[in-house]
């Protein structure tokens, strides 16, 4: 990309702004090298990376880049055998640890929401945990070598501490002595040239033996090493030298470990730099409220509410631009200070940003093109040194553009043809525009010449545009209007400023009739556009109101349905609670009656108590009942002979034996009864029999069929009772019942004894017993079937 264009579009300011969002020196170095790309595939990959980083930053925040430094110089020095310092080794360990944190952060997000590009990049980070641990075992967080780095170093440092302690004790004893303390400037111990000394007054130098290592600025104090500790200081110095040699050995070993991993470490630097760079682009997008543009290489550009990124958001006026579809060139006319140049720079800078893999400050759905080059002639480039006028400067630049441009280039021209005679300037401008348009370039040009309005109107693929101007306020609105040429507005401005009507009338008379018609036409177009925008805004407002009303209606309906369901549920729960309470009270009364009957010898019919309990059970509301509409639909299906049906009034299943008008004869267990068709619900239709074949029908009884579980024999003699018991047990066995109740009453016990003897010998009976408390006691025999 032409460096001059990058400077004209202020691309470097975007780069500087982007640098502020990097977290490492590695990322900053990569940002400074960022340049627009003319390769569509490469741009798409760059934007995909930015999009994934933007998603990560929005969902979980950017990964932590703390502790990551540029270790490339240290690693390269390790490769050639140079010994690394503790600080450099500490930086390598911190970078390895930071890389692992970044990798964990992105891997966790990838498991929840796929980020394939970032995940693939982080997977390329090498596993250097052993090297990191080796460095951290020897170097602490302050980049100092630890005592535990080697056994010899630990021993040396113990000797150092012991030697220093002995010297301090010796000197402490000395300075507390009354003979010595009077010769000291201060009673303290200090260090000069790595040797312990004490501050002695200068006048006592001849009385105080030892070696002078330093003196104060005034010369009043001498820092003297007493003779008694010279040998001890020498020993301490030798120990320190031994410490330095051992530290050097440790650093060389760690450097060798780094040297074994040079290539992976350098590649890790590149990966971490790329990750920091990508997340800087994501944070810039968030700061600018930018969006992901759709990219193409067919010369199509569509900006929706595009904003210049270097103008404060509260001041910038968004523009809508479409280029490369029905028209490939836009001619923008209008007065100065209307925003024409800003619009040109917005189009150019946003194109450069998109081609660099950056989001653009525009609404979703904006489309940008990858151009092979962007050329611009913007601003006054008059040069005194080269003795070039404004016109000459512009022409020099335009000639260079015409030589280098191609059909896939974007050309931006500001004030085309300015700086010379209007007649010649407009003719030259039309010729240049025609040449660029004929080549197929995408072009946006601004001008003052009214002749270019007619050129844009008559030329296919070229369209007029203008910067909106509010005559009422005498100020530009900075809105770009596509399809409407600009007006001078000179007469309207002069009139509002108070110029006399006589002068204005004379001026209007000097304007050519043709030019006047053009101005009137433009004014009419502007009025129509204003009315259309107002109507569109009204229609949009009404549509939003309708959408809001529809949404509120749906919410109200949903709320009413929820309230209805809750009230129905509440009513059923209350009804169930009432029945439960009544059942509890009834059980209490029944138990009291039984107790009284036993105490007073009175007789209470068990079958009546059982019937009362059953009535209470049936009184509970059934929440599982089918909806009325479903029952009605099932009723409407035609019922035929042999069909399985449900009798609503009895809550029993049965089979239709025959139909008799509006009634049907239904087999319910061993009983047959007539039931109204309205009281029946079809469960399963009987399959139609084939006329030419014999059919064999088998009936299988299940637990769900309507079979009695109780047999009341009170009042019967033993012979009649046994016949009924035999029939009842056969029916229960066919119905797959597990347990039945035979009510024979208490009485004399003859009926109970005879029935139990019969049950003992019956083939279907597994066991039997008398009823428990609540089941009828000795008046009921409970039989369990096989």
């Amino acid at each position: 990309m032409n460096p001059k264009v990058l400077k004209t579009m202020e691309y470097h300011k975007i780069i500087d702004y982007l640098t502020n969002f990097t977290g490492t020196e590695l990322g900053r170095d990569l940002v400074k090298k960022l340049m627009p790309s003319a390769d569509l595939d490469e741009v798409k990959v760059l934007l995909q990376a930015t999009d994934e980083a933007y998603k990560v930053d929005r969902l979980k925040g950017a990964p932590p880049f703390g502790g990551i430094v540029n270790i490339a110089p240290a690693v390269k020095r390790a490769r050639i055998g140079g010994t690394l310092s503790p600080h450099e080794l500490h930086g390598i360990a911190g970078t390895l640890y930071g890389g692992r944190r970044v990798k964990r952060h992105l891997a966790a997000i990838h498991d929840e929401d796929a980020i394939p590009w970032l995940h693939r990049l982080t997977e390329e980070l090498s596993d250097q945990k052993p090297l990191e641990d080796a460095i951290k075992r020897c170097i602490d967080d302050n980049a100092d070598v630890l005592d535990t780095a080697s056994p010899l170093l630990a021993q040396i440092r113990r000797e150092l501490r012991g030697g220093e302690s002995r010297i301090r004790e010796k000197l402490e004893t000395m300075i507390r002595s009354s003979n010595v303390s009077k010769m000291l400037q201060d009673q303290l111990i200090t260090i000069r040239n790595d040797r312990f000394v004490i501050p002695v007054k200068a006048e006592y130098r001849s009385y105080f033996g030892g070696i002078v290592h330093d003196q104060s600025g005034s010369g009043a104090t001498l820092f003297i090493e007493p003779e008694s500790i010279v040998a001890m200081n020498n020993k301490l110095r030798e120990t320190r030298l031994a410490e330095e040699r051992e530290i050097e050995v440790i650093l060389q070993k760690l450097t060798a470990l780094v040297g074994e991993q040079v290539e992976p470490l350098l590649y890790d630097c590149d990966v971490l730099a790329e990750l920091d760079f990508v997340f800087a682009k994501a944070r810039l997008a968030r700061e600018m409220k930018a969006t992901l543009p759709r990219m193409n290489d067919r010369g199509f550009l569509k900006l929706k509410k595009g904003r210049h990124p270097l103008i404060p958001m509260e001041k910038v006026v968004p523009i809508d631009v479409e280029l490369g579809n029905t028209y490939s060139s836009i001619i923008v006319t209008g007065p100065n200070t209307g925003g024409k140049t800003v619009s040109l720079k917005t189009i150019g800078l946003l194109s450069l940003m998109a081609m660099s893999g950056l989001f653009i400050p525009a609404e979703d759905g904006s489309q940008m093109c990858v151009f092979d080059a962007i050329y611009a002639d913007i601003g006054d480039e008059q040069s005194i040194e080269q003795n070039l006028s404004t016109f000459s400067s512009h022409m020099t630049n335009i000639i260079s553009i015409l030589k280098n441009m191609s059909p896939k280039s974007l050309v931006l021209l500001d004030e085309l043809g300015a700086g010379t005679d209007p007649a010649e300037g407009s003719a030259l401008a039309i010729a240049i525009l025609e040449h660029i348009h004929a080549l197929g370039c995408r072009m946006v040009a601004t001008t003052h010449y009214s002749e270019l309005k007619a050129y844009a109107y008559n030329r296919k693929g070229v369209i007029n545009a203008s910067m909106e101007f509010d005559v009422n306020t005498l100020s530009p609105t900075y809105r770009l209007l596509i399809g409407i040429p600009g007006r001078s507005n000179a007469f309207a401005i002069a009139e509002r400023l108070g110029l006399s009507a006589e002068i204005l009338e004379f001026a209007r008379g000097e304007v050519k009739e043709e030019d006047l018609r053009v101005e009137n036409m433009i004014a009419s177009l502007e009025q129509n556009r204003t009315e259309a925008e107002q109507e569109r805004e009204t229609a949009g407002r009404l549509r939003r109101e309708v959408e809001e009303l529809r949404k509120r209606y749906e919410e109200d309906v949903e709320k009413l349905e929820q309230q209805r369901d809750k009230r129905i549920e509440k009513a059923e729960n209350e009804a169930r609670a009432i029945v439960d309470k009544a059942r509890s009270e009834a059980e209490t009364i029944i138990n009291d009656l039984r107790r009284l009957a036993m105490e007073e010898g009175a007789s209470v019919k068990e079958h009546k108590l059982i019937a009362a309990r059953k009535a209470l059970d049936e009184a509970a509301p059934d929440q599982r009942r089918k909806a009325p509409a479903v029952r009605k639909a099932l009723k409407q299906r035609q019922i035929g002979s042999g069909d399985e049906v449900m009798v609503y009034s009895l809550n029993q299943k049965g089979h239709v034996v025959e139909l008799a008008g509006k009634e049907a004869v239904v087999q319910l267990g061993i009983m047959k009864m007539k039931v109204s068709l309205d009281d029946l619900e079809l469960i399963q239709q009987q399959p139609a029999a084939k006329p030419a074949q014999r059919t064999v029908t088998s009936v299988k009884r299940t637990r769900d069929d309507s079979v009695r579980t109780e047999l009341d024999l009170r009042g019967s003699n033993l012979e009649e009772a046994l016949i009924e018991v035999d029939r009842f047990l056969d029916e229960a066995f066919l119905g797959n019942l597990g347990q039945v109740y035979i009510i024979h009453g208490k009485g004399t016990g003859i009926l109970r004894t005879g029935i139990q003897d019969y049950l003992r010998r019956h083939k279907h009976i597994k066991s039997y017993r008398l009823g428990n408390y609540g089941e009828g006691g000795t008046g009921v025999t409970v039989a369990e079937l096989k």
Side-chain angles (χ1 to χ4, degrees):
M1 193 63 64
N2 189 340
K4 186 176 181 181
V5 171
L6 298 179
K7 182 180 179 180
T8 301
M9 295 299 164
E10 300 178 290
Y11 180 77
H12 62 283
K13 293 185 179 180
I14 297 296
I15 297 300
D16 293 342
Y17 196 20
L18 179 60
T19 304
N20 297 330
F21 295 98
T22 56
T24 68
E25 182 185 348
L26 293 169
R28 283 189 287 276
D29 291 341
L30 205 57
V31 167
K32 293 175 182 177
K33 300 175 183 176
L34 179 62
M35 292 292 287
S37 171
D39 186 333
L40 178 61
D41 293 334
E42 181 182 356
V43 171
K44 285 184 176 180
V45 171
L46 293 174
L47 285 172
Q48 179 191 351
T50 308
D51 188 36
E52 290 183 10
Y54 185 82
K55 179 165 64 175
V56 170
D57 187 53
R58 177 172 51 83
L59 295 176
K60 299 290 185 179
F65 288 98
I68 298 175
V69 297
N70 186 6
I71 62 174
V75 173
K76 290 177 182 177
R77 196 151 59 83
R79 179 165 56 186
I80 61 176
T83 302
L84 301 182
S85 67
H87 182 77
E88 290 172 322
L89 290 168
H90 177 262
I92 291 173
T95 300
L96 295 177
Y97 174 69
R100 286 194 298 109
R101 284 195 307 171
V102 170
K103 187 173 183 177
R104 283 199 307 268
H105 182 85
L106 295 179
I109 295 174
H110 181 69
D111 292 339
E112 299 176 5
D113 198 348
I115 44 173
W117 190 91
L118 291 174
H119 180 68
R120 185 168 59 253
L121 186 63
T122 54
E123 285 297 306
E124 295 177 1
L125 286 170
S126 62
D127 183 10
Q128 299 292 340
K129 187 70 164 58
L131 175 60
E132 177 191 338
D133 292 340
I135 294 175
K136 287 185 174 180
R137 280 195 298 269
C138 300
I139 311 294
D140 65 12
D141 293 338
N142 296 320
D144 294 324
V145 180
L146 294 167
D147 294 358
T148 55
S150 74
L152 179 58
L153 182 63
Q155 178 185 346
I156 291 172
R157 285 184 171 173
R158 283 195 298 271
E159 293 177 1
L160 274 175
R161 286 190 289 270
E164 290 177 353
S165 177
R166 288 190 294 272
I167 291 174
R168 286 184 178 278
E169 288 176 2
K170 183 79 172 176
L171 291 176
E172 287 285 348
T173 303
M174 184 179 296
I175 63 178
R176 283 197 297 267
S177 168
S178 58
N179 293 331
V180 176
S181 62
K182 66 180 181 180
M183 292 185 284
L184 300 179
Q185 195 74 29
D186 291 299
Q187 290 187 344
L188 57 86
I189 302 169
T190 185
I191 296 175
R192 290 292 187 276
N193 301 324
D194 290 333
R195 301 179 77 88
F196 285 92
V197 296
I198 54 178
V200 179
K201 295 177 181 178
E203 59 266 28
Y204 291 104
R205 171 65 186 92
S206 58
Y207 301 99
F208 202 96
I211 303 171
V212 177
H213 286 279
D214 196 6
Q215 68 177 1
S216 65
S218 63
T221 304
L222 302 176
F223 295 94
I224 298 177
E225 177 184 0
E227 283 185 23
S228 58
I229 66 165
V230 169
M232 299 173 69
N233 263 333
N234 290 340
K235 177 64 176 175
L236 193 64
R237 176 61 180 164
E238 292 174 1
T239 307
R240 286 200 179 101
L241 292 174
E243 178 193 26
E244 291 176 2
R245 287 193 297 271
E246 181 59 20
I247 289 176
E248 185 71 15
V249 171
I250 293 169
L251 295 179
Q252 287 175 352
K253 290 180 180 179
L254 293 176
T255 301
L257 293 177
V258 174
E260 295 173 0
Q261 304 293 332
V262 169
E263 297 305 325
L265 289 174
L266 290 177
Y267 189 75
D268 288 350
C269 282
D270 293 339
V271 171
L272 292 173
E274 187 72 23
L275 288 171
D276 186 24
F277 168 58
V278 168
F279 278 95
K281 292 194 293 181
R283 288 189 285 267
L284 176 66
R286 183 183 60 184
E287 180 72 16
M288 289 184 174
K289 292 182 172 52
T291 61
L292 172 67
R294 292 168 53 191
M295 301 302 298
N296 66 84
D297 60 353
R298 53 187 177 84
F300 180 66
L301 183 147
K302 184 176 183 180
L303 274 178
K304 293 182 176 180
K305 305 297 181 185
R307 294 174 277 109
H308 195 289
L310 301 178
I311 300 177
M313 202 172 301
E314 64 276 6
K315 295 182 179 179
V316 67
V317 178
I319 62 172
D320 294 305
V321 180
E322 183 174 326
L323 183 66
N325 193 4
T326 56
Y327 45 87
S328 60
S329 300
I330 300 176
I331 308 300
V332 185
T333 53
N336 286 328
T337 69
K340 297 192 300 296
T341 302
V342 172
S343 297
L344 282 184
K345 287 190 173 182
T346 300
I347 295 170
L349 185 54
L350 266 55
S351 296
L352 293 173
M353 289 176 63
M355 292 165 63
S356 302
L358 299 173
F359 282 16
I360 60 172
E363 288 187 354
D364 283 327
S366 294
Q367 297 190 48
M368 303 299 291
C369 176
V370 174
F371 298 103
D372 63 357
I374 297 177
Y375 299 101
D377 178 56
I378 298 176
D380 186 359
E381 300 184 8
Q382 183 172 353
S383 172
I384 297 176
E385 293 180 0
Q386 298 178 7
N387 194 25
L388 294 176
S389 67
T390 300
F391 177 76
S392 299
S393 176
H394 280 297
M395 287 310 303
T396 301
N397 198 13
I398 290 173
I399 290 170
S400 175
I401 293 173
L402 296 177
K403 289 180 179 179
N404 297 307
M405 67 183 184
S406 75
K408 291 188 176 181
S409 300
L410 173 64
V411 179
L412 304 173
L413 303 175
D414 190 27
E415 300 294 347
L416 183 60
T420 186
D421 178 73
E424 294 180 355
S426 61
L428 190 58
I430 291 174
I432 293 172
L433 293 176
E434 179 63 25
H435 177 76
I436 297 175
H437 180 67
L439 186 62
C441 293
R442 300 300 181 260
M443 175 180 59
V444 182
T446 69
T447 182
H448 282 294
Y449 297 132
S450 58
E451 289 83 358
L452 269 66
K453 302 175 187 177
Y455 167 77
Y457 182 78
N458 295 322
R459 191 69 170 88
K460 184 178 180 181
V462 183
I463 192 170
N464 273 305
S466 62
M467 304 306 298
E468 188 179 52
F469 190 88
D470 191 341
V471 180
N472 296 323
T473 61
L474 301 180
S475 61
T477 65
Y478 303 104
R479 291 179 58 199
L480 180 63
L481 306 176
I482 303 294
I484 299 176
R487 298 171 60 197
S488 65
N489 298 306
F491 293 157
I493 295 173
E495 184 177 8
R496 286 188 58 82
L497 292 176
L499 189 64
S500 67
E502 182 181 352
I503 296 176
L504 283 172
E505 191 63 29
F506 182 84
R508 289 191 177 97
E510 292 299 312
V511 177
K512 295 179 182 179
E513 185 178 352
E514 180 180 347
D515 294 338
L516 192 59
R517 284 200 303 268
V518 171
E519 288 293 321
N520 292 336
M521 178 191 70
I522 294 174
S524 177
L525 287 173
E526 288 187 356
Q527 182 179 358
N528 292 337
R529 177 193 56 79
T530 304
E531 293 175 355
E533 284 188 355
Q534 292 175 351
E535 292 178 358
R536 184 170 63 250
E537 290 176 0
T538 303
R541 177 175 51 79
L542 292 175
R543 184 177 65 253
R544 289 191 296 270
E545 291 177 357
V546 169
E547 287 292 329
E548 182 67 24
L549 289 173
R550 183 183 62 80
K551 183 178 178 182
R552 286 166 53 190
Y553 169 75
E554 291 176 352
E555 290 175 353
D556 291 342
V557 169
E558 183 179 359
K559 190 181 299 182
L560 287 172
E561 290 179 350
Q562 291 175 354
Q563 291 176 353
R564 180 200 63 195
D565 294 341
K566 288 180 180 178
R567 288 178 180 176
I568 292 174
E569 183 179 0
K570 180 181 179 182
E572 290 178 340
N573 290 336
E574 290 176 351
R576 187 176 297 100
I578 293 171
V579 173
D580 289 342
K581 180 179 179 182
R583 182 185 294 110
S584 177
E585 293 175 352
E587 288 289 347
T588 303
I589 294 171
I590 290 172
N591 292 334
D592 290 342
L593 288 174
R594 284 178 176 152
R595 181 175 53 78
L596 290 172
M598 293 177 66
E599 290 175 355
E600 300 176 7
S603 176
V604 180
K605 297 294 184 180
E606 283 292 331
H607 71 283
K608 292 184 178 180
L609 297 178
I610 293 170
R613 185 183 296 111
K614 183 176 180 182
L616 280 173
D617 291 340
E618 292 175 349
D622 185 7
Q623 285 182 307
R624 297 172 297 175
R625 289 174 294 184
K626 290 184 177 66
V630 177
R631 292 202 302 267
K632 182 176 181 181
L634 292 173
K635 283 182 187 178
Q636 290 175 352
R637 293 167 58 186
Q638 190 160 354
I639 297 175
S641 179
D643 292 346
E644 186 179 4
V645 294
M646 169 66 76
V647 182
Y648 287 137
S649 57
L650 301 177
N651 196 25
Q652 295 286 331
K653 294 179 182 179
H655 290 82
V656 177
V657 177
E658 59 179 337
L659 297 173
K662 294 185 178 180
E663 293 182 330
V665 178
V666 182
Q667 182 80 36
L668 299 169
I670 61 173
M671 297 186 301
K672 291 182 182 180
M673 61 184 303
K674 282 188 176 182
V675 182
S676 173
L677 290 175
D678 292 336
D679 197 22
L680 298 179
E681 176 187 339
L682 178 63
I683 297 176
Q684 183 175 357
Q685 285 186 327
Q686 179 72 14
K690 298 181 180 179
Q693 297 178 356
R694 294 181 58 192
T695 59
V696 178
T697 304
S698 62
V699 179
K700 183 177 180 181
R701 301 292 297 275
T702 65
R703 293 179 187 270
D704 293 333
D705 292 332
S706 302
V707 180
R708 295 178 299 164
T709 59
E710 298 174 355
L711 176 63
D712 191 352
L713 298 174
R714 287 171 296 185
S716 304
N717 57 38
L718 182 57
E719 183 178 354
E720 294 172 345
L722 292 179
I723 295 172
E724 289 296 322
V725 168
D726 185 71
R727 184 185 299 114
F728 174 65
L729 292 177
D730 287 340
E731 179 185 359
F733 181 76
L734 291 173
N736 290 331
L737 296 181
Q739 182 175 284
V740 294
Y741 297 87
I742 302 174
I743 304 171
H744 43 64
K746 298 178 180 178
T748 60
I750 296 175
L751 192 59
R752 178 180 68 245
T753 303
I755 290 173
Q756 291 182 352
D757 288 339
Y758 178 75
L759 295 175
R760 189 181 300 112
R761 301 188 303 273
H762 200 281
K763 61 182 179 179
H764 296 323
I765 299 302
K766 181 178 180 182
S767 63
Y768 64 88
R769 60 177 174 81
L770 289 175
N772 294 324
Y773 179 75
E775 291 180 327
T778 58
V780 176
T781 294
V782 182
E784 185 178 353
L785 280 74
K786 294 180 180 179

